[in-house]
Amino acid sequence: MLKRNPSIANLSSGYLFPEIAKRRSAYAKAHPDAKIISLGIGNTTEPLTPHIVDGLTAAVHNLGTPEGYSGYGDEAGLTALREKIAHVLYNNLIRSDEVFVSDGAKCDIGRLQYLFGPRVNVVVQDPAYPVYVDGSVMIGAAGKSGATGYRGITYLPCTASNGFFPDVSRIKKNSLVYFCSPNNPTGAVATRPQLEQLVRQAQKTGSVIIFDSAYSAFIRDPQLPKSIYEIDGARTCAIEVNSFSKPIGFTGVRLGWTIVPSELTFADGTPVIRDWSRLTTTIFNGASNIAQYGGLASLDETGLAETRLLTDYYLENASIIRKTLLSGPFSPAGVEVYGGDNAPYVWARFPGKKSWDVFDFFLDSCHVVCTPGAGFGPAGESFIRFSSFGHREQVLEACNRLSQVHLS
Ligand code: PGU
């Protein structure tokens, strides 16, 4: 028999979101009358908007004609979409041939981990989107989990006391640094001076940043950077991943992109873009052409206006959740509330409580599912993440229930 892959065996438990779904269904089975509302996984709920539907539909019809049919396309995506991303979303700070269209940010993060391989020092914000750590363990870049997280990973705590921006001076030589802004789960958005610090440290240490900007469309404050390439020097030290999932509800349609600047090189001088192209053309056959036409529609004037309305809707949900939590008190020690203004997540701390206990409490007392902060890393303990992706009436109902309970 084949031996189990030891790197996968090193993972300590199931992936966070299926784990939550498991607990939710066990609860639903035991309490069939409970009307459970999920503010847990960041999964979009509102329908696709009309102009984007038109873009998708036209693509489908076109594929049904002899002139319009196409099979495999360029693995890096439609030229028109790559150009539109470079122009509309990056104001030409990057070139269209540096844009690699994908089937989503999560899939690209996995492929990037493959690109850098097992012999790399991984640095993450703590808490962080679990794919950075779990994927690093799976590729062999990190070992078994100990009391303070996985061995081989440098965790940079992001807490209220540092404004959820870590001490970047702890990034050592030749590291692969995952950085997410707007942040999942804290909802914090790094300012320009903060990102300048990050880029300077990466340059000083010869490190590479994987900048995950999957929630950039939720930034409303014009002072806050939406891309790492707004920072001078980032082209020599950063890759950026992004997604159509949250801005236009493509969580199920699947479409994203990764930017690899041509100046970024490995120690031996090989351009990273060359290896990325080699890797993706070998193990990825391109994003769905239909999805790409939907993405294209989202980047013209009408599409951008629809995107704004959709993201405004979720931000309004976030504001409702924030207000509810702030008007607590839910627990004797009170609740601290962060995020939710330029990001679709509200990050709430319940001092003296364990995240999973608070998760169980809300599930049991309000039938509301949230995400336990400890699932995002050691510094997430005592926190709960509330997702603003939900129908308004469900969010209002969940908030109504939340406002009536008290943790003892
Ligand atoms: N990057 C970040 C920071 C995310 O939070 C998510 C989704 C993704 C990437 C995934 O983007 P795709 O383009 O759709 O692949 N995070 C959600 C969903 C959970 C998951 O496992 O992806 C969340 O609830 O955190």
Side-chain angles (χ1 to χ4, degrees):
M1 287 227 285
L2 289 186
K3 281 201 185 126
R4 188 176 179 205
N5 179 338
S7 299
I8 294 183
N10 277 340
L11 288 166
S12 59
S13 62
Y15 183 61
L16 178 62
F17 294 101
E19 184 66 34
I20 291 169
K22 215 163 77 191
R23 292 194 186 209
R24 175 196 167 136
S25 38
Y27 187 84
K29 218 164 144 193
H31 304 84
D33 295 333
K35 293 199 168 31
I36 298 176
I37 298 175
S38 175
L39 301 180
I41 187 165
N43 197 1
T44 48
T45 54
E46 300 315 293
L48 298 177
T49 55
H51 186 64
I52 292 163
V53 171
D54 286 347
L56 293 166
T57 318
V60 173
H61 285 301
N62 220 12
L63 284 173
T65 64
E67 322 69 61
Y69 177 76
S70 60
Y72 294 125
D74 182 343
E75 292 88 346
L78 294 171
T79 304
L81 180 58
R82 299 173 79 189
E83 284 173 352
K84 203 89 176 168
I85 290 173
H87 178 61
V88 176
L89 297 176
Y90 290 90
N91 202 13
N92 298 325
L93 283 171
I94 47 103
R95 293 197 318 260
S96 61
D97 61 358
E98 297 169 326
V99 179
F100 293 80
V101 176
S102 74
D103 51 351
K106 186 178 189 173
C107 324
D108 261 359
I109 294 163
R111 288 186 281 261
L112 284 165
Q113 286 167 328
Y114 197 73
L115 177 73
F116 288 96
R119 276 171 292 283
V120 68
N121 309 313
V122 174
V123 178
V124 294
Q125 288 163 289
D126 176 19
Y129 178 46
V131 178
Y132 314 145
V133 168
D134 288 9
S136 300
V137 175
M138 287 165 78
I139 202 81
K144 272 194 184 343
S145 172
T148 51
Y150 283 98
R151 251 173 266 148
I153 298 225
T154 303
Y155 292 82
L156 304 180
C158 295
T159 59
S161 58
N162 60 19
F164 300 101
F165 183 80
D167 175 4
V168 293
S169 71
R170 288 192 49 218
I171 298 171
K172 291 191 230 87
K173 252 184 142 13
N174 306 331
S175 300
L176 185 63
V177 184
Y178 291 90
F179 197 95
C180 179
S181 179
N183 191 265
N184 175 14
T186 67
V189 187
T191 62
R192 188 172 301 274
Q194 288 175 333
L195 289 186
E196 278 165 1
Q197 267 184 52
L198 175 68
V199 166
R200 295 294 91 80
Q201 183 67 11
Q203 288 176 316
K204 203 169 112 189
T205 57
S207 298
V208 171
I209 302 162
I210 295 184
F211 190 77
D212 186 340
S213 52
Y215 301 99
S216 58
F218 293 85
I219 295 178
R220 291 293 177 270
D221 180 344
Q223 302 295 318
L224 294 170
K226 291 188 166 178
S227 164
I228 192 73
Y229 303 115
E230 291 179 41
I231 308 302
D232 272 351
R235 288 183 56 87
T236 61
C237 63
I239 290 171
E240 182 163 307
V241 284
N242 205 325
S243 171
F244 286 94
S245 283
K246 311 300 160 90
I248 63 170
F250 268 25
T251 40
V253 176
R254 309 302 305 149
L255 192 65
W257 71 91
T258 288
I259 313 286
V260 185
S262 50
E263 287 95 320
L264 184 66
T265 58
F266 288 108
D268 68 357
T270 307
V272 175
I273 193 171
R274 193 192 297 167
D275 282 6
W276 181 242
S277 184
R278 180 70 174 88
L279 186 137
T280 48
T281 49
T282 308
I283 60 166
F284 178 58
N285 247 343
S288 146
N289 45 14
I290 299 167
Q292 292 190 68
Y293 281 104
L296 202 51
S298 78
L299 297 175
D300 65 23
E301 212 179 305
T302 316
L304 290 169
E306 289 182 352
T307 305
R308 178 82 183 194
L309 285 177
L310 194 59
T311 46
D312 275 349
Y313 180 90
Y314 292 124
L315 284 169
E316 178 62 24
N317 284 348
S319 156
I320 294 168
I321 297 167
R322 261 188 78 90
K323 281 193 197 116
T324 304
L325 296 171
L326 283 168
S327 63
F330 290 97
S331 82
V335 188
E336 295 166 24
V337 184
Y338 307 96
D341 40 8
N342 290 283
Y345 296 119
V346 177
W347 186 235
R349 180 164 176 261
F350 294 82
K353 303 281 174 203
K354 293 257 182 219
S355 299
W356 279 104
D357 292 343
V358 184
F359 169 89
D360 285 336
F361 172 77
F362 284 141
L363 180 56
D364 202 33
S365 62
C366 315
H367 305 150
V368 170
V369 176
C370 49
T371 307
F376 296 97
E381 189 57 278
S382 291
F383 282 89
I384 287 289
R385 187 193 78 173
F386 291 93
S387 159
S388 69
F389 296 103
H391 300 309
R392 180 65 46 78
E393 65 279 10
Q394 295 257 294
V395 170
L396 287 169
E397 171 59 21
C399 285
N400 181 37
R401 294 184 200 166
L402 289 169
S403 64
Q404 292 176 32
V405 292
H406 296 273
L407 263 166
S408 52

